[in-house]
Amino acid sequence: MTIPKTMKAAILVELGKPLVVDQISMPQNLEAGQVLVKIYFSGICGSQIGEIKGAKGEDKFLPHLLGHEASGIVQEIGPGVKHVKEGDAVVLHWRKGRGIDSAPPSYKWKGKQLNAGWVTTFNEYAVVSENRITPIPKNSNFEIAALFGCAVTTGFGVVENNAKVRIGESVVVFGAGGVGLNIIQAASLVSAYPIIAVDLYDNKLGLAKKMGATHIINSNHKDPKEEIAKIINNKEIDVFIDNTGLPAVIEMGYRVTKNTGRVVLVGVPSKGSNINIYSLPLHFGKSLSGSHGGESIPHLDIPRYHDLYLAGRIKLNELITHHFSLDQINDAILNMSSGNIAGRCLIKMS
Ligand SMILES: [Zn+2]
């Protein structure tokens, strides 16, 4: 197919402001390793909420496109692409998988350069680097497939690769958003116990129970440290996973974790948010580490997890609670940041 001249996309123009949904110009040739994908569904991840708010500080790439988990169909492949072909159903992800690491695409908006990374998904089409897409079976459920771009692979990867949770270990998951719920699900798959979910919102905690949390704590109403102590009879926990990036939560998690336990940081801290901990236990086996997308390897992990879904061993339908159109994307973002949405909301592109 020929590349469309223009498409609709959501653009981050100014930090802290609603995205601008507008027509943008597409590049008319694919470079080595680039793939044109028609996007079907895109998820919105907590990290895009942080990006829009400017959590990491100044953004020198403005204006730019965003989004990093989606599903779609390959329309055309650029020179050198070997791992996908026209017509393939694919998951779009931000972690690097198999294939060429291409140059990022060059889009234009109002005649000026519009920045975009190797994958963006808040747009009707995307020119994506070959290593940011993974093929899935043609008859796949495209709504579910979008979740494999980040929410599922990050959540499962945190449990498998970062926390390396063992059978019967106690796990606290602080923050039960899209990634947190999948961390809970993966902890449940490996028979962790107890699995304690903490969040500010009852709707998210309700979903956390469905995904396998054995105990839930609403930290708006109760002191999580006291509640955790009650649940584990004043012992210490094996694994604490933070999805909030908040120093007070991380420090508390570090304190309630065993001297041989693991604290894993998943949530992105705001620039300047520093933690204060007593580091001596780190010399004797306690660990504190940050996760980079659960260290997932998309082309190996996505087929594995997708098969588990097809076998009915993991719950993903329950995670998709809301749908929006691209024109409504700012409503979706507002609802997500205010905690109204438990689970994932999807943007339906076509
Ligand atoms: Zn993400």
Side-chain angles (χ1 to χ4, degrees), residues 107-257:
Y107 300 107
K108 284 208 156 64
W109 180 48
K110 295 180 174 171
K112 291 198 182 122
Q113 184 183 329
L114 174 60
N115 290 313
W118 296 269
V119 58
T120 67
T121 64
F122 297 173
N123 22 263
E124 293 174 308
Y125 289 86
V127 174
V128 186
S129 180
E130 183 187 19
N131 63 355
R132 268 37 175 235
I133 48 176
T134 293
I136 48 170
K138 276 221 169 59
N139 56 358
S140 294
N141 176 330
F142 279 83
E143 297 193 29
I144 298 295
L147 304 179
F148 288 100
C150 180
V152 175
T153 36
T154 300
F156 283 28
V158 164
V159 169
E160 280 201 289
N161 306 323
N162 299 117
K164 297 187 169 72
V165 178
R166 295 171 61 86
I167 297 169
E169 283 194 320
S170 50
V171 177
V172 172
V173 181
F174 213 109
V179 171
L181 290 166
N182 280 297
I183 292 172
I184 291 164
Q185 168 148 245
S188 173
L189 278 177
V190 299
S191 295
Y193 187 88
I195 301 168
I196 305 169
V198 190
D199 204 285
L200 295 166
Y201 301 100
D202 286 332
N203 57 351
K204 294 188 184 184
L205 291 168
L207 201 46
K209 273 215 125 160
K210 279 192 196 157
M211 304 310 281
T214 59
H215 299 76
I216 54 174
I217 300 169
N218 186 322
S219 53
N220 237 346
H221 307 312
K222 288 182 170 166
D223 175 13
K225 195 166 174 243
E226 280 173 22
E227 294 302 309
I228 292 168
K230 274 189 223 165
I231 294 166
I232 54 169
N233 293 323
N234 291 315
K235 285 188 278 190
E236 289 168 311
I237 59 151
D238 294 300
V239 174
F240 184 94
I241 299 169
D242 170 67
N243 297 305
T244 70
L246 300 170
V249 172
I250 298 167
E251 289 165 6
M252 187 274 287
Y254 184 82
R255 281 196 300 272
V256 301
T257 303

Side-chain angles (χ1 to χ4, degrees), residues 41-44 69 142-144 146-147 320-325 332 344-348:
F41 291 94
S42 170
I44 300 180
E69 62 172 28
F142 279 83
E143 297 193 29
I144 298 295
L147 304 179
I320 301 170
T321 50
H322 295 74
H323 291 80
F324 292 87
S325 68
R344 265 294 197 253
C345 70
L346 289 183
I347 306 299
K348 188 177 191 301

